[in-house]
Amino acid sequence: MSRDLERSDSRIGFMGGTFDPIHHGHLVAAESVYENFTLDRIVFVPAGSPAHKPDSRVTSARHRLNMTRLASESNPHFEVSSVEVDREGPSYTIDTMKHFRRLYGPEADLYFITGVDAVVQIPEWKNAGGLFEICKFIAATRPGYPTENFFRFRDQLPPKQRRAMKVVAVPALAISSSDLRRRVCRGSSIKYLVPEPAEDYIYAHGLYDCSEQDEAVRRPIAF
Ligand code: NAP
């Protein structure tokens, strides 16, 4: 039986992201949330077809799902759901969280976790009001993204939504997926930035070579 179908857990965090590729920043964020919010488990949910990136080049969902599985397999309280990859059309979080609410029942505490910079966009997401009825949110901090924007955003929310919006301070790891893609394209090392099985997968499948990257990525960084 898929662990997705275990319904006995009552406090579950859903880590949503494009994960192109997943990296240690995401994993450290997930572990921090697990610990700080005393959750029963964390479910990584790679976006199948990211709703907000219709025109950008995103690596195939299967590759991103496989890398996420490889990266999280050593942690017994991490698992990965393919619900968004298996679903047709844009990956709207409202559809995903409705699915998990049905699965875990009305009493479970469901938390949607994502980066502090992604969280401030939530009011623009499909049926954002409905989403607040289904789950709470946890914003993971990251270096380079001042939390003032997040707190300003949270202060403007109606009281019920404000209470549903949590933040977790993640140990500073200045890793980003876009930087990793640039590094692979330029032949720079990604060792210790990405879990080794995912790193091996990237090279074995020739992901993020320069043919997939746009001109801005191929250009060397000017210091
Ligand atoms: P993104 O715009 O690619 O990422 C925004 C920022 O948040 C990036 O700096 C990213 O860093 C960081 N980030 C993303 N996921 C993170 C995580 N789980 N923990 C810590 N940092 C994280 O956003 P995205 O990853 O595509 O989307 C985030 C989630 O929001 C996804 O589940 C997506 O489906 C959902 N979303 C839903 C809608 C909708 O329903 N209409 C619209 C937009 C987004 P990295 O680049 O290093 O990952």
Side-chain angles (χ1 to χ4, degrees), residues 15-19 23 26 47 51-53 91-93 112-115 117-118 125-126 142 176-177:
M15 186 87 174
T18 305
F19 302 133
H23 53 68
H26 299 128
H52 54 313
K53 300 177 179 172
S91 300
Y92 294 117
T93 303
F112 187 80
I113 309 153
T114 195
D117 38 334
W125 294 7
K126 183 182 168 191
R142 53 180 295 164
S176 79
S177 298

Side-chain angles (χ1 to χ4, degrees), residues 49-195:
S49 178
H52 54 313
K53 300 177 179 172
D55 303 322
S56 67
R57 271 177 284 170
V58 175
T59 306
S60 98
R62 280 288 147 197
H63 282 320
R64 292 184 289 104
L65 177 67
N66 290 342
M67 288 189 282
T68 306
R69 283 183 169 144
L70 288 167
S72 58
E73 67 188 359
S74 65
N75 188 324
H77 49 256
F78 284 177
E79 65 186 74
V80 180
S81 170
S82 63
V83 65
E84 291 195 352
V85 174
D86 297 339
R87 199 169 61 220
E88 300 272 306
S91 300
Y92 294 117
T93 303
I94 182 76
D95 300 333
T96 303
M97 294 314 293
K98 277 183 180 170
H99 161 84
F100 287 122
R101 176 54 77 197
R102 278 194 298 274
L103 206 57
Y104 291 102
E107 300 303 326
D109 282 329
L110 308 185
Y111 294 86
F112 187 80
I113 309 153
T114 195
V116 76
D117 38 334
V119 157
V120 297
Q121 308 292 333
I122 287 173
E124 290 156 38
W125 294 7
K126 183 182 168 191
N127 195 356
L131 205 42
F132 276 98
E133 299 296 317
I134 299 176
C135 62
K136 300 188 180 89
F137 292 90
I138 302 176
T141 64
R142 53 180 295 164
Y145 291 88
T147 45
E148 292 81 58
N149 286 353
F150 167 79
F151 288 113
R152 209 173 306 124
F153 158 75
R154 190 170 73 170
D155 287 348
Q156 288 165 359
L157 291 173
K160 196 172 163 212
Q161 294 188 0
R162 200 182 313 143
R163 284 194 298 274
M165 186 62 74
K166 320 283 182 190
V167 65
V168 65
V170 177
L173 283 184
I175 309 173
S176 79
S177 298
S178 50
D179 177 57
L180 289 166
R181 295 194 298 273
R182 273 193 291 269
R183 281 171 175 269
V184 176
C185 162
R186 290 197 304 261
S188 303
S189 172
I190 57 168
K191 206 165 186 54
Y192 308 124
L193 300 175
V194 170

